[in-house]
Amino acid sequence: MIKSERVSYILHRLEELYPETPVPLDHSDPFTLLIAVLLSAQCTDVRVNQITPKLFGELGKTPQALAAQPVAKIEAIVKPCGLGPQKAKAIQKLSQILLDQHGGQVPCDLAALEELPGVGHKTAQVVMAQSFGVPSFPVDTHIHRLAQRWKLTDGKNVTQTERDLKRLFPEASWNKLHLQIIFYGREFCSARGCDGTVCEICTTLFPERKRALKTKKA
């Protein structure tokens, strides 16, 4: 298949497999999503979903509540997510910044989100996509790996992968598609479960591929 045919097939097959794309991180509003995504760095969604009910239930789920908490108290709860000291400090500090600079609301602005402590480009894009419906294409390790296996990017870095995927896929598909690729990567095309020669989409796109494909890390 040529690249445009691969793109068409991927869109069609992922829509068949995942017509519904619930956000994997439990949340109730933009702020709780922001905190959940921040906690998910180097941590599984399952673990985050175990921690956030305790965090929000005991300490509160608003910027006002978390800004007033000692960092040590936040850290004691979020520690199982890894990077506890950094994440706890970021949660307390970004909550205060939201109060001081944004009226206690999560801004619907990518640049403003990226300025918040602990919030990188991917986290900001997840919030823009899932809380505000702004077309975004957050690239995680699954997406970065699969995009290489499907020869949609050369995999130099996640910035390049994001740029290439945005160029290839219709903007209207981005918010749903990034979750569909993540779901597929977790279920069928994981780092250990497929090397570019095993799963359905890989074998359909590249039936002649015989050797394992080495991918570049994000």
Side-chain angles (χ1 to χ4, degrees):
M1 294 186 188
I2 61 173
K3 187 176 289 186
S4 61
E5 292 173 329
R6 295 200 302 274
V7 166
S8 179
Y9 174 79
I10 290 165
L11 279 171
H12 177 74
R13 186 62 182 127
L14 290 179
E15 184 62 28
E16 288 181 335
L17 290 170
Y18 307 106
E20 302 296 329
T21 53
V23 179
L25 293 167
D26 297 337
H27 65 285
S28 57
D29 56 26
F31 180 70
T32 53
L33 177 62
L34 175 64
I35 299 303
V37 181
L38 184 156
L39 289 174
S40 72
Q42 298 185 39
C43 181
T44 66
D45 293 346
V46 172
R47 176 61 59 85
V48 173
N49 288 340
Q50 293 170 344
I51 297 302
T52 48
K54 182 177 176 66
L55 175 66
F56 299 141
E58 293 187 12
L59 303 187
K61 58 179 183 178
T62 65
Q64 291 86 345
L66 291 181
Q69 298 294 339
V71 171
K73 208 168 182 179
I74 299 174
E75 183 184 347
I77 296 177
V78 306
K79 186 177 179 179
C81 292
L83 304 176
Q86 299 96 311
K87 290 179 179 179
K89 189 179 295 184
I91 288 171
Q92 196 274 342
K93 191 172 181 181
L94 75 80
S95 296
Q96 188 61 55
I97 291 173
L98 291 180
L99 294 177
D100 294 342
Q101 301 181 17
H102 301 286
Q105 301 296 313
V106 175
C108 180
D109 179 86
L110 186 66
L113 286 170
E114 290 178 339
E115 290 178 356
L116 295 173
V119 178
H121 183 63
K122 188 194 79 172
T123 297
Q125 286 211 100
V126 171
V127 174
M128 293 297 289
Q130 306 306 333
S131 288
F132 302 119
V134 176
S136 307
F137 214 126
V139 174
D140 75 345
T141 54
H142 289 289
I143 294 175
H144 185 60
R145 181 175 60 250
L146 269 60
Q148 293 175 68
R149 288 179 178 168
W150 298 343
K151 290 194 176 296
L152 304 177
T153 186
D154 60 15
K156 288 180 180 178
N157 51 58
V158 292
T159 301
Q160 183 63 47
T161 297
E162 178 190 332
R163 186 180 302 119
D164 290 340
L165 294 178
K166 284 182 172 179
R167 177 175 53 82
L168 290 170
F169 292 99
E171 185 176 289
S173 73
W174 293 353
N175 289 356
K176 187 175 186 179
L177 181 61
H178 97 266
L179 286 172
Q180 290 173 323
I181 297 175
I182 290 171
F183 294 162
Y184 185 83
R186 289 175 177 175
E187 187 171 3
F188 300 111
C189 197
S190 65
R192 296 183 179 181
C194 181
D195 58 10
T197 67
V198 178
C199 78
E200 175 193 346
I201 292 184
C202 284
T203 55
T204 300
L205 297 181
F206 302 100
E208 303 302 318
R209 181 186 285 164
K210 303 301 180 186
R211 295 183 179 180
L213 182 71
K214 292 184 179 181
T215 56
K216 302 171 186 175
K217 292 185 178 181

